[in-house]
Amino acid sequence: MVAATGNGNGNGNGNGTSESNVVLITGAAGWLGGILANELLSDPLTPNVHLILADIVEPKAPKSAQHVVTRKADLTSKEEIDALFNTEFGVPDTVYCFHGIMSRGSEDNFDLGLKVNIDSIRLMLDASRAVRPVSGKPIRFIFTSSLAVYGGPLPDVVDIHTITTPEGAYGMGKLSSELLVNEYTRRGFVDGRILRLPTIVVRPGVPSAATSAFISGIVREPLHGVEAICPVGDSLESEELDKLAAWVASPETTIKNFVIAKHIPEEKFLPHTRVSYLPGFTTTVRQELDALAEVAGKDALKLVKFKDDPINRRIVGSWPPRFDNAYPLSLGFVVDQGGMVPVVRRFKEMVEAGLA
């Protein structure tokens, strides 16, 4: 891990006054954190936003941002986390806790997963508990969790009351931190909001360490004209392509829901939990490949190579593929319409425009 360094290139009021919205994003050098920072700059409900962006590598400040501090920080260090709550912008009123070790990474390096996915989140919660924004209210603490918290026998359609029994180190870590966020919220230390994310497709950039990374890769790489490895089945004729289903959402909808999470009134959540899975839709690997062929032509399928990975299939197959969207929609979250084809088409347009 690295020592904290950083630079402040903001020109805000410097004292965290009530005239500004101060938002801390950890994991901000990642793809989602970077997009969220830009989205908050255009959010009419977050005027005069001051951003504190932190990660293990120093995040890039959005080009249009007038008030931003970037920090390269070891997010497993209490001292370096505490420093994020004492920048020139003062105490943040909202924290987006995005950092973590992804699913396959947690499974392969158990001890690092514990350190980052549980211990670090507790340090973040303790730092949030120890201070108060100028409003005097608890910090709004938005924690990104995962469908990996589910496992074992599940109903055909998961709802908000379905019991969580993870079957992997990543899901265990996320569920442990969910319990911490709920307890800190119950005690009034923070105002927690826990978002169980669908698999986000199509992710731009290089593949992540997530077990589900192939769900984006089998679309993203062919649209860039390069080969992709599908760890499900051994050919386009494999029955496994129809059997493995995933609960997914587009990047655009997911980012919208991150911003919406910030504005949900506390009383709208169930009284006993701050958990909500984000709304999504079900797709099989076969439906993904069919959408790729419809949007980019059947020749694009020639770039998908098959290398069956039983461990990958076991982990992804343990996650529920169907959810009841009623509860998250009642909170004000939004959902994609039209299945995979519109999602693939939007990503193709981004590739052609040089944006992905």
Side-chain angles (χ1 to χ4, degrees):
M1 293 292 182
V2 296
T5 63
N7 67 77
N9 58 340
N11 55 359
N13 51 36
N15 60 8
T17 69
S18 58
E19 295 177 357
S20 65
N21 288 283
V22 182
V23 178
L24 166 61
I25 304 174
T26 65
W31 168 65
L32 284 175
I35 298 177
L36 174 62
N38 279 287
E39 192 76 9
L40 288 169
L41 292 172
S42 60
D43 177 30
L45 298 179
T46 311
N48 192 30
V49 64
H50 289 54
L51 297 172
I52 305 165
L53 308 180
D55 211 331
I56 193 66
V57 296
E58 187 167 356
K60 293 181 179 179
K63 293 180 179 179
S64 59
Q66 295 182 348
H67 312 290
V68 59
V69 166
T70 61
R71 288 286 186 271
K72 178 183 178 182
D74 179 352
L75 294 169
T76 67
S77 163
K78 180 182 185 304
E79 292 74 17
E80 296 184 24
I81 286 176
D82 288 347
L84 300 176
F85 292 77
N86 189 32
T87 71
E88 63 191 80
F89 294 157
V91 176
D93 55 75
T94 302
V95 170
Y96 283 92
C97 192
F98 277 9
H99 67 280
I101 300 297
M102 299 298 283
S103 47
R104 190 61 180 261
S106 298
E107 197 70 17
D108 293 344
N109 192 335
F110 181 72
D111 292 318
L112 181 61
L114 293 178
K115 188 175 183 180
V116 176
N117 293 341
I118 301 176
D119 299 342
S120 174
I121 307 308
R122 182 177 175 185
L123 291 174
M124 287 287 298
L125 286 164
D126 283 340
S128 299
R129 171 188 178 184
V131 293
R132 279 286 188 270
V134 293
S135 67
K137 297 179 179 180
I139 288 175
R140 194 178 296 112
F141 194 95
I142 301 169
F143 174 65
T144 50
S145 188
S146 167
L147 304 187
V149 299
Y150 297 101
L154 289 165
D156 291 338
V157 179
V158 168
D159 65 22
I160 196 59
H161 304 295
T162 300
I163 294 173
T164 49
T165 51
E167 292 187 72
Y170 181 60
M172 178 278 298
K174 286 295 188 180
L175 182 58
S176 298
S177 289
E178 283 189 10
L179 294 172
L180 286 170
V181 176
N182 267 326
E183 179 63 8
Y184 277 57
T185 300
R186 185 183 71 84
R187 291 178 175 272
F189 299 155
V190 300
D191 173 4
R193 287 105 196 279
I194 299 163
L195 310 179
R196 292 176 182 163
L197 304 188
T199 297
I200 301 170
V201 61
V202 179
R203 284 177 174 262
V206 298
S208 72
T211 316
S212 58
F214 77 91
I215 296 176
S216 282
I218 60 175
V219 173
R220 179 184 58 238
E221 269 67 81
L223 289 178
H224 280 284
V226 298
E227 288 187 357
I229 300 297
C230 179
V232 178
D234 54 17
S235 71
L236 277 171
E237 288 70 43
S238 295
E239 293 181 357
E240 287 84 356
L241 303 184
D242 300 291
K243 294 178 180 178
L244 191 76
W247 185 248
V248 303
S250 71
E252 296 84 1
T253 294
T254 302
I255 293 297
K256 287 179 183 177
N257 283 330
F258 287 160
V259 177
I260 290 169
K262 181 177 182 293
H263 303 301
I264 298 172
E266 296 178 59
E267 60 272 13
K268 292 195 73 172
F269 290 94
L270 292 171
H272 64 284
T273 181
R274 287 301 180 85
V275 168
S276 178
Y277 46 82
L278 291 185
F281 64 95
T282 302
T283 187
T284 64
V285 177
R286 172 83 64 201
Q287 288 169 332
E288 270 202 280
L289 295 174
D290 287 347
L292 174 64
E294 180 172 338
V295 172
K298 291 186 177 180
D299 282 348
L301 296 178
K302 296 177 182 178
L303 292 169
V304 180
K305 307 301 179 182
F306 294 87
K307 186 178 180 181
D308 195 62
D309 183 341
I311 295 176
N312 192 301
R313 283 196 287 107
R314 178 188 68 78
I315 294 174
V316 177
S318 72
W319 304 343
R322 294 172 181 82
F323 287 74
D324 183 345
N325 279 331
Y327 180 64
L329 293 179
S330 76
L331 295 176
F333 292 120
V334 295
V335 66
D336 290 292
Q337 302 292 333
M340 278 302 305
V341 170
V343 173
V344 176
R345 184 173 290 119
R346 281 199 301 271
F347 189 79
K348 181 173 183 287
E349 291 169 354
M350 290 177 63
V351 171
E352 292 171 346
L355 301 174

PDB file of all heavy atoms in Angstrom, residues 81 116-129 141 177 180 184:
ATOM      1  N   ILE A  81      -7.432   7.703   6.075  1.00  0.00           N
ATOM      2  CA  ILE A  81      -8.881   7.872   5.941  1.00  0.00           C
ATOM      3  C   ILE A  81      -9.340   9.105   6.708  1.00  0.00           C
ATOM      4  O   ILE A  81     -10.111   9.932   6.188  1.00  0.00           O
ATOM      5  CB  ILE A  81      -9.621   6.608   6.419  1.00  0.00           C
ATOM      6  CG1 ILE A  81      -9.472   5.493   5.380  1.00  0.00           C
ATOM      7  CG2 ILE A  81     -11.101   6.903   6.671  1.00  0.00           C
ATOM      8  CD1 ILE A  81     -10.081   4.177   5.789  1.00  0.00           C
ATOM      9  N   VAL A 116      -9.627  -5.047   2.984  1.00  0.00           N
ATOM     10  CA  VAL A 116     -10.189  -3.947   2.193  1.00  0.00           C
ATOM     11  C   VAL A 116     -11.714  -3.918   2.263  1.00  0.00           C
ATOM     12  O   VAL A 116     -12.311  -2.849   2.395  1.00  0.00           O
ATOM     13  CB  VAL A 116      -9.716  -4.050   0.726  1.00  0.00           C
ATOM     14  CG1 VAL A 116     -10.372  -2.958  -0.123  1.00  0.00           C
ATOM     15  CG2 VAL A 116      -8.198  -3.934   0.648  1.00  0.00           C
ATOM     16  N   ASN A 117     -12.357  -5.077   2.178  1.00  0.00           N
ATOM     17  CA  ASN A 117     -13.817  -5.109   2.063  1.00  0.00           C
ATOM     18  C   ASN A 117     -14.547  -5.052   3.398  1.00  0.00           C
ATOM     19  O   ASN A 117     -15.756  -4.821   3.425  1.00  0.00           O
ATOM     20  CB  ASN A 117     -14.251  -6.354   1.295  1.00  0.00           C
ATOM     21  CG  ASN A 117     -13.822  -6.308  -0.154  1.00  0.00           C
ATOM     22  OD1 ASN A 117     -13.525  -5.246  -0.693  1.00  0.00           O
ATOM     23  ND2 ASN A 117     -13.760  -7.456  -0.801  1.00  0.00           N
ATOM     24  N   ILE A 118     -13.825  -5.274   4.509  1.00  0.00           N
ATOM     25  CA  ILE A 118     -14.464  -5.181   5.832  1.00  0.00           C
ATOM     26  C   ILE A 118     -13.745  -4.170   6.716  1.00  0.00           C
ATOM     27  O   ILE A 118     -14.334  -3.165   7.134  1.00  0.00           O
ATOM     28  CB  ILE A 118     -14.491  -6.560   6.543  1.00  0.00           C
ATOM     29  CG1 ILE A 118     -15.240  -7.589   5.699  1.00  0.00           C
ATOM     30  CG2 ILE A 118     -15.168  -6.421   7.907  1.00  0.00           C
ATOM     31  CD1 ILE A 118     -15.235  -9.000   6.285  1.00  0.00           C
ATOM     32  N   ASP A 119     -12.454  -4.413   6.979  1.00  0.00           N
ATOM     33  CA  ASP A 119     -11.732  -3.545   7.919  1.00  0.00           C
ATOM     34  C   ASP A 119     -11.715  -2.090   7.448  1.00  0.00           C
ATOM     35  O   ASP A 119     -11.916  -1.165   8.239  1.00  0.00           O
ATOM     36  CB  ASP A 119     -10.297  -4.043   8.101  1.00  0.00           C
ATOM     37  CG  ASP A 119     -10.226  -5.452   8.681  1.00  0.00           C
ATOM     38  OD1 ASP A 119     -11.238  -5.906   9.247  1.00  0.00           O
ATOM     39  OD2 ASP A 119      -9.165  -6.095   8.566  1.00  0.00           O
ATOM     40  N   SER A 120     -11.475  -1.885   6.169  1.00  0.00           N
ATOM     41  CA  SER A 120     -11.425  -0.522   5.644  1.00  0.00           C
ATOM     42  C   SER A 120     -12.777   0.171   5.735  1.00  0.00           C
ATOM     43  O   SER A 120     -12.857   1.380   6.011  1.00  0.00           O
ATOM     44  CB  SER A 120     -10.941  -0.547   4.196  1.00  0.00           C
ATOM     45  OG  SER A 120     -11.010   0.732   3.616  1.00  0.00           O
ATOM     46  N   ILE A 121     -13.853  -0.584   5.509  1.00  0.00           N
ATOM     47  CA  ILE A 121     -15.189   0.023   5.571  1.00  0.00           C
ATOM     48  C   ILE A 121     -15.502   0.432   7.006  1.00  0.00           C
ATOM     49  O   ILE A 121     -16.092   1.500   7.247  1.00  0.00           O
ATOM     50  CB  ILE A 121     -16.259  -0.957   5.045  1.00  0.00           C
ATOM     51  CG1 ILE A 121     -15.882  -1.467   3.646  1.00  0.00           C
ATOM     52  CG2 ILE A 121     -17.623  -0.275   5.023  1.00  0.00           C
ATOM     53  CD1 ILE A 121     -15.566  -0.395   2.632  1.00  0.00           C
ATOM     54  N   ARG A 122     -15.083  -0.372   7.977  1.00  0.00           N
ATOM     55  CA  ARG A 122     -15.304   0.030   9.368  1.00  0.00           C
ATOM     56  C   ARG A 122     -14.530   1.309   9.690  1.00  0.00           C
ATOM     57  O   ARG A 122     -15.049   2.184  10.398  1.00  0.00           O
ATOM     58  CB  ARG A 122     -14.888  -1.092  10.327  1.00  0.00           C
ATOM     59  CG  ARG A 122     -15.164  -0.702  11.784  1.00  0.00           C
ATOM     60  CD  ARG A 122     -14.840  -1.791  12.767  1.00  0.00           C
ATOM     61  NE  ARG A 122     -15.023  -1.297  14.131  1.00  0.00           N
ATOM     62  CZ  ARG A 122     -14.727  -1.978  15.224  1.00  0.00           C
ATOM     63  NH1 ARG A 122     -14.223  -3.193  15.113  1.00  0.00           N
ATOM     64  NH2 ARG A 122     -14.908  -1.459  16.407  1.00  0.00           N
ATOM     65  N   LEU A 123     -13.303   1.426   9.192  1.00  0.00           N
ATOM     66  CA  LEU A 123     -12.543   2.663   9.407  1.00  0.00           C
ATOM     67  C   LEU A 123     -13.266   3.857   8.785  1.00  0.00           C
ATOM     68  O   LEU A 123     -13.291   4.949   9.364  1.00  0.00           O
ATOM     69  CB  LEU A 123     -11.143   2.517   8.816  1.00  0.00           C
ATOM     70  CG  LEU A 123     -10.194   1.539   9.518  1.00  0.00           C
ATOM     71  CD1 LEU A 123      -8.894   1.406   8.729  1.00  0.00           C
ATOM     72  CD2 LEU A 123      -9.909   1.992  10.944  1.00  0.00           C
ATOM     73  N   MET A 124     -13.847   3.661   7.610  1.00  0.00           N
ATOM     74  CA  MET A 124     -14.611   4.738   6.967  1.00  0.00           C
ATOM     75  C   MET A 124     -15.822   5.119   7.806  1.00  0.00           C
ATOM     76  O   MET A 124     -16.145   6.299   7.973  1.00  0.00           O
ATOM     77  CB  MET A 124     -15.062   4.292   5.575  1.00  0.00           C
ATOM     78  CG  MET A 124     -13.953   4.222   4.535  1.00  0.00           C
ATOM     79  SD  MET A 124     -13.395   5.844   3.990  1.00  0.00           S
ATOM     80  CE  MET A 124     -14.903   6.486   3.254  1.00  0.00           C
ATOM     81  N   LEU A 125     -16.509   4.126   8.345  1.00  0.00           N
ATOM     82  CA  LEU A 125     -17.674   4.393   9.185  1.00  0.00           C
ATOM     83  C   LEU A 125     -17.276   5.106  10.469  1.00  0.00           C
ATOM     84  O   LEU A 125     -17.956   6.049  10.912  1.00  0.00           O
ATOM     85  CB  LEU A 125     -18.396   3.086   9.501  1.00  0.00           C
ATOM     86  CG  LEU A 125     -19.204   2.479   8.346  1.00  0.00           C
ATOM     87  CD1 LEU A 125     -19.544   1.029   8.642  1.00  0.00           C
ATOM     88  CD2 LEU A 125     -20.479   3.284   8.105  1.00  0.00           C
ATOM     89  N   ASP A 126     -16.169   4.687  11.072  1.00  0.00           N
ATOM     90  CA  ASP A 126     -15.721   5.341  12.301  1.00  0.00           C
ATOM     91  C   ASP A 126     -15.332   6.799  12.039  1.00  0.00           C
ATOM     92  O   ASP A 126     -15.612   7.682  12.853  1.00  0.00           O
ATOM     93  CB  ASP A 126     -14.534   4.585  12.899  1.00  0.00           C
ATOM     94  CG  ASP A 126     -14.965   3.308  13.614  1.00  0.00           C
ATOM     95  OD1 ASP A 126     -16.150   3.202  13.977  1.00  0.00           O
ATOM     96  OD2 ASP A 126     -14.112   2.423  13.804  1.00  0.00           O
ATOM     97  N   ALA A 127     -14.684   7.050  10.904  1.00  0.00           N
ATOM     98  CA  ALA A 127     -14.333   8.428  10.558  1.00  0.00           C
ATOM     99  C   ALA A 127     -15.590   9.264  10.341  1.00  0.00           C
ATOM    100  O   ALA A 127     -15.657  10.432  10.749  1.00  0.00           O
ATOM    101  CB  ALA A 127     -13.456   8.441   9.311  1.00  0.00           C
ATOM    102  N   SER A 128     -16.600   8.675   9.710  1.00  0.00           N
ATOM    103  CA  SER A 128     -17.862   9.391   9.481  1.00  0.00           C
ATOM    104  C   SER A 128     -18.597   9.641  10.793  1.00  0.00           C
ATOM    105  O   SER A 128     -19.237  10.685  10.977  1.00  0.00           O
ATOM    106  CB  SER A 128     -18.760   8.579   8.543  1.00  0.00           C
ATOM    107  OG  SER A 128     -18.148   8.378   7.288  1.00  0.00           O
ATOM    108  N   ARG A 129     -18.496   8.696  11.713  1.00  0.00           N
ATOM    109  CA  ARG A 129     -19.154   8.813  13.022  1.00  0.00           C
ATOM    110  C   ARG A 129     -18.531   9.922  13.861  1.00  0.00           C
ATOM    111  O   ARG A 129     -19.229  10.601  14.634  1.00  0.00           O
ATOM    112  CB  ARG A 129     -19.028   7.472  13.746  1.00  0.00           C
ATOM    113  CG  ARG A 129     -19.460   7.480  15.197  1.00  0.00           C
ATOM    114  CD  ARG A 129     -19.107   6.135  15.850  1.00  0.00           C
ATOM    115  NE  ARG A 129     -19.464   6.122  17.266  1.00  0.00           N
ATOM    116  CZ  ARG A 129     -19.206   5.109  18.086  1.00  0.00           C
ATOM    117  NH1 ARG A 129     -18.600   4.019  17.627  1.00  0.00           N
ATOM    118  NH2 ARG A 129     -19.554   5.173  19.362  1.00  0.00           N
ATOM    119  N   PHE A 141     -24.035   8.099   4.144  1.00  0.00           N
ATOM    120  CA  PHE A 141     -23.003   7.109   3.825  1.00  0.00           C
ATOM    121  C   PHE A 141     -23.573   6.107   2.834  1.00  0.00           C
ATOM    122  O   PHE A 141     -24.384   5.250   3.190  1.00  0.00           O
ATOM    123  CB  PHE A 141     -22.550   6.400   5.104  1.00  0.00           C
ATOM    124  CG  PHE A 141     -21.287   5.607   4.976  1.00  0.00           C
ATOM    125  CD1 PHE A 141     -20.063   6.155   5.319  1.00  0.00           C
ATOM    126  CD2 PHE A 141     -21.317   4.298   4.521  1.00  0.00           C
ATOM    127  CE1 PHE A 141     -18.883   5.413   5.215  1.00  0.00           C
ATOM    128  CE2 PHE A 141     -20.158   3.549   4.403  1.00  0.00           C
ATOM    129  CZ  PHE A 141     -18.928   4.111   4.747  1.00  0.00           C
ATOM    130  N   SER A 177     -20.012  -5.858   5.842  1.00  0.00           N
ATOM    131  CA  SER A 177     -20.020  -4.399   5.864  1.00  0.00           C
ATOM    132  C   SER A 177     -21.432  -3.828   5.794  1.00  0.00           C
ATOM    133  O   SER A 177     -21.712  -2.776   6.367  1.00  0.00           O
ATOM    134  CB  SER A 177     -19.152  -3.858   4.722  1.00  0.00           C
ATOM    135  OG  SER A 177     -17.782  -4.092   4.999  1.00  0.00           O
ATOM    136  N   LEU A 180     -22.580  -3.642   9.293  1.00  0.00           N
ATOM    137  CA  LEU A 180     -21.980  -2.502   9.978  1.00  0.00           C
ATOM    138  C   LEU A 180     -22.692  -1.204   9.612  1.00  0.00           C
ATOM    139  O   LEU A 180     -23.012  -0.383  10.482  1.00  0.00           O
ATOM    140  CB  LEU A 180     -20.494  -2.401   9.624  1.00  0.00           C
ATOM    141  CG  LEU A 180     -19.561  -3.431  10.261  1.00  0.00           C
ATOM    142  CD1 LEU A 180     -18.172  -3.355   9.626  1.00  0.00           C
ATOM    143  CD2 LEU A 180     -19.458  -3.214  11.767  1.00  0.00           C
ATOM    144  N   TYR A 184     -24.554   1.168  12.324  1.00  0.00           N
ATOM    145  CA  TYR A 184     -24.145   2.560  12.528  1.00  0.00           C
ATOM    146  C   TYR A 184     -25.313   3.509  12.221  1.00  0.00           C
ATOM    147  O   TYR A 184     -25.445   4.564  12.839  1.00  0.00           O
ATOM    148  CB  TYR A 184     -22.940   2.903  11.650  1.00  0.00           C
ATOM    149  CG  TYR A 184     -21.601   2.493  12.241  1.00  0.00           C
ATOM    150  CD1 TYR A 184     -21.338   1.161  12.590  1.00  0.00           C
ATOM    151  CD2 TYR A 184     -20.587   3.415  12.429  1.00  0.00           C
ATOM    152  CE1 TYR A 184     -20.121   0.774  13.113  1.00  0.00           C
ATOM    153  CE2 TYR A 184     -19.353   3.040  12.951  1.00  0.00           C
ATOM    154  CZ  TYR A 184     -19.123   1.715  13.296  1.00  0.00           C
ATOM    155  OH  TYR A 184     -17.908   1.346  13.817  1.00  0.00           O
TER     156      TYR A 184
END
